[in-house]
Amino acid sequence: MRKNIKIGFSEIGGIYIGEDIQTEQHLHHAITIAVSFSEKFHFESGQQSVFCSGIIIQPNAIRKFINPYKSYVAFIHIDPFCSQGFNLTDKSETFKELSPSQTQNILEILRNWFSVNENNEKLTEELIVQIAAKIGIISNTVKMDSRIVQAIDLIRKSEKSTLKHVAASNNLSTYRLSHLFKEQTGMSFREFVLYSKLIKSLKAICDNQNFTQSSYSGGFSDQAHFTRTYFKAFGILPSRSVK
């Protein structure tokens, strides 16, 4: 892994810090907070764009990052189905620019972590909780159907779980589960299965597995499938961002 990047992984999300990150248009399923350590970056979502130092982006939103000054930028990806994710969900806006104080408060949390060698899942989770608290509660009304909560848990335990198996476990037809899953999560059943595989592969990368090993650890059939999924989620090839 390159010395000028740092990646942290936890059950509620991950943190990535790197320089000169330029992405193609992509769609990510997590809530994303992006903050620059120095110069502003350009962010695009559909027909909207902003030049800023800090931003929070809602899940399942199309986004593109352009970093003209090649400065260090931190990306904090938060699971939308954890308590912090529910608190940060905003169904009225695709993204929102962070205030200067919010951006600086988040950077203060990240600077020390980026400069030291300490790195583990517990610490990453603590950092994400602190960062979410600096933004505050955007919504405390987001709730999820218990059957979808159970479906998500089943998929995370085994991405080999089929739509038919998960539907039967919740006493639903495959059509009803498929419709309800999309309505509640904003993504299809298949998209969530791929997303869960990607998260496991990213954890494997954090554990210093190479791309081929991490692809299989996540449940992908081969490295090419992992690379395509990674590019769709982050708008950049893994070889350009983590190795």
Side-chain angles (χ1 to χ4, degrees):
M1 196 171 288
R2 298 204 313 262
K3 292 183 179 180
N4 58 341
I5 70 168
K6 189 166 185 178
I7 301 174
F9 180 88
S10 77
E11 291 299 317
I12 65 170
I15 302 172
Y16 174 94
I17 300 177
E19 63 177 340
D20 193 20
I21 298 300
Q22 321 281 348
T23 77
E24 298 298 327
Q25 184 170 281
H26 59 287
L27 185 151
H28 202 285
H29 298 305
I31 292 172
T32 300
I33 299 166
V35 291
S36 174
F37 279 63
S38 53
E39 305 295 337
K40 293 182 178 182
F41 55 81
H42 186 75
F43 170 78
E44 296 178 4
S45 181
Q47 300 300 313
Q48 298 177 292
S49 65
V50 64
F51 195 54
C52 65
S53 296
I55 197 166
I56 177 170
I57 311 149
Q58 293 299 312
N60 305 310
I62 294 173
R63 72 279 306 267
K64 179 178 181 180
F65 292 92
I66 302 170
N67 190 353
Y69 301 106
K70 301 182 179 180
S71 53
Y72 278 93
V73 176
F75 296 91
I76 303 95
H77 300 291
I78 302 176
D79 182 353
F81 311 122
C82 69
S83 59
Q84 288 75 25
F86 285 134
N87 288 341
L88 294 176
T89 296
D90 185 351
K91 295 186 177 181
S92 66
E93 291 185 295
T94 302
F95 66 89
K96 185 176 182 180
E97 187 174 351
L98 299 180
S99 70
S101 62
Q102 286 175 321
T103 300
Q104 288 306 311
N105 287 337
I106 292 170
L107 287 174
E108 286 179 14
I109 294 171
L110 293 173
R111 281 195 179 101
N112 183 60
W113 177 74
F114 187 44
S115 63
V116 301
N117 291 325
E118 187 177 5
N119 192 13
N120 56 64
E121 290 191 29
K122 184 175 185 298
L123 177 58
T124 301
E125 181 171 332
E126 290 173 354
L127 292 173
I128 290 174
V129 170
Q130 291 175 41
I131 289 167
K134 294 300 181 183
I135 295 177
I137 297 176
I138 295 175
S139 172
N140 58 7
T141 61
V142 177
K143 294 183 180 179
M144 184 166 287
D145 190 298
S146 61
R147 294 168 295 182
I148 300 305
V149 173
Q150 184 179 342
I152 288 172
D153 186 55
L154 285 171
I155 294 168
R156 284 177 169 167
K157 287 178 178 176
S158 174
E159 295 83 9
K160 293 182 180 179
S161 296
T162 64
L163 178 64
K164 183 177 180 180
H165 168 72
V166 176
S169 299
N170 284 279
N171 297 314
L172 295 169
S173 67
T174 55
Y175 173 81
R176 178 58 181 156
L177 175 63
S178 180
H179 176 79
L180 190 60
F181 198 95
K182 177 74 173 180
E183 178 183 75
Q184 292 272 302
T185 68
M187 62 183 103
S188 69
F189 183 90
R190 181 178 180 278
E191 285 173 333
F192 186 80
V193 169
L194 279 177
Y195 177 62
S196 298
K197 288 181 177 181
L198 180 61
I199 296 303
K200 286 192 175 182
S201 288
L202 291 175
K203 182 180 185 302
I205 290 174
C206 288
D207 292 336
N208 293 315
Q209 291 187 20
N210 62 37
F211 289 147
T212 300
Q213 293 169 328
S214 61
S215 300
Y216 293 130
S217 294
F220 290 98
S221 57
D222 52 43
Q223 184 180 329
H225 192 195
F226 161 71
T227 299
R228 290 195 301 272
T229 305
Y230 186 100
F231 185 82
K232 285 184 68 175
F234 297 105
I236 189 171
L237 293 172
S239 58
R240 295 268 322 268
S241 55
V242 298
K243 291 290 182 181

